[in-house]
Amino acid sequence: MKLGSSIGPVYLDVISDGFDEQGFPKGGSSELYLENLEAAGSKTLAELIVKYRSTPYPIDCVIYEPFLHWALDVAKDSGVMGAAFFTQPCVVDYIYYNIQHGLLSLPITSAPVSIPGLPLLESRDMPSFIGAVDTISKVCPTLTIGPTVPSVYLDLRIEDDDYYNLDLFTLQASISTNWINNKPPRSVVYVAFGSMSDLCEKQIEELSWGLKNSNYYFLWVIKESGQVNLPKTFLEDLGEK
């Protein structure tokens, strides 16, 4: 990404993860990568805050993914506000809170599970988040945001709201959407392991043949570093699969 670029009203800049040339695959392991990310990320984030301090747009709040908890320390040390942006449902975050503070012990061996603010939980439950918001608000200041997806995929209450409007890369969404729209309901498997997964050659091979030999169509998001481990004949005879 070009430093100092922008997308509409959003101005973009970057920090370092310690592996600027190759990213996570160069880290060797998740533990090593996260250690370097914290060290390099903390340093370059602090430098970024200083960089913008003398501009017309100084940074007055760091909004961070709670997984990168060190960002809050950088914000405090730099004299700016910090706000955690939890991207999972409130009920999930509240369950994490209960586990972290020893109010819910793992492993859970019996059901139903009772958590204040939530209905009794079975393993298959998808409970409402409303009670969780009320209860967790008593623990720490909480502001619910979202849903963070366009209205066209939800309730259609916002006219022409059909685009996320913040893409770091050029997307060709029509390729996948046109393809999936022509498939029967419940016939497509979506596979993605996230940016930090690093599957070995054998795992990728097993996944490849499992998907190809299944009775389902599939969309597989696979990193460039993993594509080199695809079986040589995998792409042959896939057709519309």
Side-chain angles (χ1 to χ4, degrees), residues 208-209 212 218 227 230-239:
S208 300
W209 297 128
K212 188 170 184 176
F218 61 90
Q227 293 177 26
L230 289 172
K232 293 182 179 179
T233 59
F234 174 65
L235 297 179
E236 297 179 4
D237 303 319
L238 275 182

Side-chain angles (χ1 to χ4, degrees), residues 10-110:
V10 179
Y11 196 78
L12 301 178
D13 215 323
V14 296
I15 62 174
S16 174
D17 63 357
F19 302 100
D20 295 344
E21 295 300 323
Q22 299 184 34
F24 176 72
K26 188 67 175 179
S29 69
S30 298
E31 292 77 14
L32 178 60
Y33 177 78
L34 291 175
E35 288 177 6
N36 280 271
L37 173 59
E38 180 171 353
S42 296
K43 180 178 182 295
T44 52
L45 177 57
E47 292 172 349
L48 201 66
I49 294 173
V50 172
K51 170 185 172 181
Y52 283 95
R53 188 167 290 160
S54 58
T55 72
Y57 307 102
I59 296 173
D60 53 22
C61 182
V62 173
I63 301 174
Y64 65 97
E65 161 63 53
F67 182 69
L68 306 178
H69 57 87
W70 46 263
L72 180 59
D73 295 327
V74 175
K76 289 180 177 179
D77 293 341
S78 302
V80 300
M81 299 291 291
F85 179 36
F86 292 93
T87 55
Q88 293 179 306
C90 291
V91 66
V92 176
D93 297 321
Y94 186 49
I95 291 173
Y96 288 162
Y97 173 86
N98 277 266
I99 295 172
Q100 177 70 25
H101 290 268
L103 303 175
L104 184 63
S105 58
L106 297 178
I108 298 173
T109 58
S110 61

Side-chain angles (χ1 to χ4, degrees), residues 43-234:
K43 180 178 182 295
T44 52
L45 177 57
E47 292 172 349
L48 201 66
I49 294 173
V50 172
K51 170 185 172 181
Y52 283 95
R53 188 167 290 160
S54 58
T55 72
Y57 307 102
I59 296 173
D60 53 22
C61 182
V62 173
I63 301 174
Y64 65 97
E65 161 63 53
F67 182 69
L68 306 178
H69 57 87
W70 46 263
L72 180 59
D73 295 327
V74 175
K76 289 180 177 179
D77 293 341
S78 302
V80 300
M81 299 291 291
F85 179 36
F86 292 93
T87 55
Q88 293 179 306
C90 291
V91 66
V92 176
D93 297 321
Y94 186 49
I95 291 173
Y96 288 162
Y97 173 86
N98 277 266
I99 295 172
Q100 177 70 25
H101 290 268
L103 303 175
L104 184 63
S105 58
L106 297 178
I108 298 173
T109 58
S110 61
V113 177
S114 178
I115 298 177
L118 297 177
L120 293 177
L121 300 177
E122 301 288 346
S123 58
R124 63 182 181 274
D125 282 338
M126 298 292 290
S128 168
F129 64 85
I130 299 300
V133 173
D134 294 338
T135 308
I136 201 172
S137 294
K138 300 174 184 177
V139 176
C140 63
T142 304
L143 176 65
T144 56
I145 300 174
T148 54
V149 295
S151 180
V152 69
Y153 302 116
L154 298 172
D155 51 21
L156 302 177
R157 291 194 303 171
I158 304 176
E159 187 177 356
D160 298 326
D161 181 32
D162 60 356
Y163 187 59
Y164 284 92
N165 297 319
L166 187 63
D167 298 319
L168 302 183
F169 307 99
T170 301
L171 301 180
Q172 293 180 301
S174 61
I175 294 178
S176 56
T177 54
N178 290 342
W179 176 83
I180 201 171
N181 284 338
N182 292 320
K183 302 295 177 287
R186 301 178 182 274
S187 66
V188 179
V189 175
Y190 177 74
V191 184
F193 290 92
S195 58
M196 292 189 63
S197 65
D198 192 18
L199 303 179
C200 69
E201 182 176 356
K202 184 62 176 177
Q203 290 172 318
I204 290 179
E205 181 182 8
E206 290 294 326
L207 279 167
S208 300
W209 297 128
L211 289 170
K212 188 170 184 176
N213 294 329
S214 72
N215 293 322
Y216 293 90
Y217 302 100
F218 61 90
L219 285 173
W220 186 2
V221 180
I222 182 170
K223 295 185 296 186
E224 186 175 356
S225 59
Q227 293 177 26
V228 297
N229 291 325
L230 289 172
K232 293 182 179 179
T233 59
F234 174 65

